[in-house]
Amino acid sequence: MWFVLLFVVLVLLSIIHLWNKSPYHPLLVYLGVWVIVIGLWSLDEVFSIIGYIKVSKEAWVNLSLAHISFVIGSVTATITLIYSQNRNRKLLPRKIIINKSDSLKAMKISNFFLILSFVGYLSYIYVVIQSVDFGAGLAVAFKQWNYEASYGQLAMFGGLSGRLYNLPTLAIPYNVFLISIFPEQKKRLIIISCIEIFFLISPRRAILIQTLMVVLFILLLTRTIRISIKILVIPIILLILFSFSQVVLNKGQGEGIFGGLKVIYLYITGNIPSFDLLMDRNREGMGLMSLSNFYKFLNAIGYRFENVDLSIDFVNIPTPFNTIPYNYYFLMDFGILGSSFVIFTGAYGITFLYYRTMTIFKYLKMEYFTYIYIYSYILMGILFSFRENVLISYNALFFILISIMVSLYFKFQTRIV
């Protein structure tokens, strides 16, 4: 079953590439990611790298329906929007002149983000110091830090302090976006970004890696850098650093860097067999998992809905594992048909945002930060769609709302001609 799905995805990937000829089309990124995931997973069938359990036909059918729904939704949006734009030039934005004072205003926001990030980092480190025994040695403390962040006191680290600690997830991409518009501020923005990157360094590497991927997409979308073979150095360096960190955290199964690479292989491909085992979990219904942020809002204004635990149980595949593809929550909430509709609608909306973002490139101004940031964040979400759904997280909603506020601020400061 898997080789049929791989073949179909490869064919679709080739068609979309020849048809659209844009490396940033969401469907191209989506299909590219899943070609890699399914292709790597198939190696276990031949070489028994991990020795995965046999995946059921039902799991492959559910994954196939998710992919088909995304493809249909994205293609439908593409056809519709191309048809509309060829006949309605009003979709193109008006030319905009940025006030000379915008550079100063933009830097004030950057400095403000830096201060808030520092406050969030101090509150985070305060909890770390209380949770971890640094007197036991750096290596032991690092492992305790990783454990506490996953399951202990730091797992409960949230609220306003938690949001401020994660603020560099937005602040760093904002700085990178400014570089494309105000290159004269480049050195200062790079220094600020490096400080904020330091704030994100912890055994919980996911946020840092995701932020760096958003930055990479912003650099590409704003044409600050061009796609080239040299860019491949970035993910290679990240893979090496990740492998090394796995060894430091004693997750390499005593096999050194090779063990670390083996863990990376597990992280990329283990979602397929774990998805198979977790499909039988009790389904919540009512969108309690997918729309958890909406229900939290209703709770805040007086309605009472039970908070649903979005964590994933460990299952043996045969290695203990607990990550799943992005469609898992939709499947648990809405069933097969409902999840297919949600994915179709989401793919349509993402593709609409893609064309809107591409349209405004000729008019790259401060007020368009929201488009660039959200679309880059979505591309990052698609990139990691094989093992999680970052787009339904509280952080995603929080930072997207802040990016909209930033863009609205500059919109009202801008003279339209």
Side-chain angles (χ1 to χ4, degrees), residues 81-248:
L81 292 170
I82 289 178
Y83 178 85
S84 300
Q85 288 183 358
N86 286 338
R87 289 158 178 77
N88 185 6
R89 292 301 175 184
K90 292 182 180 179
L91 288 177
L92 295 175
R94 291 170 289 176
K95 289 185 178 180
I96 295 176
I97 296 177
I98 294 293
N99 296 325
K100 292 182 179 180
S101 61
D102 278 345
S103 176
L104 180 61
K105 295 173 184 175
M107 290 306 300
K108 285 183 178 179
I109 293 177
S110 180
N111 293 332
F112 183 61
F113 282 162
L114 176 62
I115 294 171
L116 291 181
S117 298
F118 180 65
V119 172
Y121 183 71
L122 289 180
S123 62
Y124 175 74
I125 290 300
Y126 175 75
V127 179
V128 169
I129 292 174
Q130 290 184 318
S131 306
V132 178
D133 181 13
F134 286 96
L138 184 59
V140 174
F142 197 62
K143 294 175 185 177
Q144 289 178 340
W145 188 354
N146 179 68
Y147 176 81
E148 290 291 340
S150 303
Y151 312 107
Q153 296 181 40
L154 289 178
M156 306 303 295
F157 180 72
L160 179 59
S161 297
R163 303 288 75 75
L164 291 181
Y165 167 66
N166 290 323
L167 188 59
T169 305
L170 170 68
I172 298 170
Y174 173 77
N175 295 335
V176 172
F177 180 78
L178 293 187
I179 291 174
S180 66
I181 299 181
F182 308 115
E184 69 277 7
Q185 300 284 359
K186 182 177 180 179
K187 291 183 179 180
R188 186 176 177 184
L189 289 166
I190 289 177
I191 293 174
I192 293 176
S193 297
C194 288
I195 296 173
E196 290 167 340
I197 287 175
F198 173 79
F199 292 161
L200 287 181
I201 295 176
S202 81
R204 307 309 299 162
R205 297 140 293 174
I207 294 177
L208 176 59
I209 293 175
Q210 290 169 3
T211 302
L212 293 178
M213 295 311 301
V214 172
V215 165
L216 177 60
F217 282 125
I218 288 180
L219 288 171
L220 292 171
L221 288 170
T222 57
R223 299 171 187 172
T224 305
I225 63 174
R226 301 282 183 176
I227 291 181
S228 66
I229 299 297
K230 295 180 181 179
I231 293 180
L232 294 177
V233 174
I234 297 176
I236 290 174
I237 292 175
L238 290 176
L239 286 175
I240 293 174
L241 291 176
F242 186 84
S243 299
F244 178 74
S245 68
Q246 292 300 105
V247 175
V248 172

Side-chain angles (χ1 to χ4, degrees), residues 370-386:
T370 293
Y371 288 102
I372 302 295
Y373 176 73
I374 293 179
Y375 189 63
S376 297
Y377 198 94
I378 287 174
L379 286 180
M380 179 275 292
I382 293 175
L383 200 64
F384 288 96
S385 64
F386 60 89

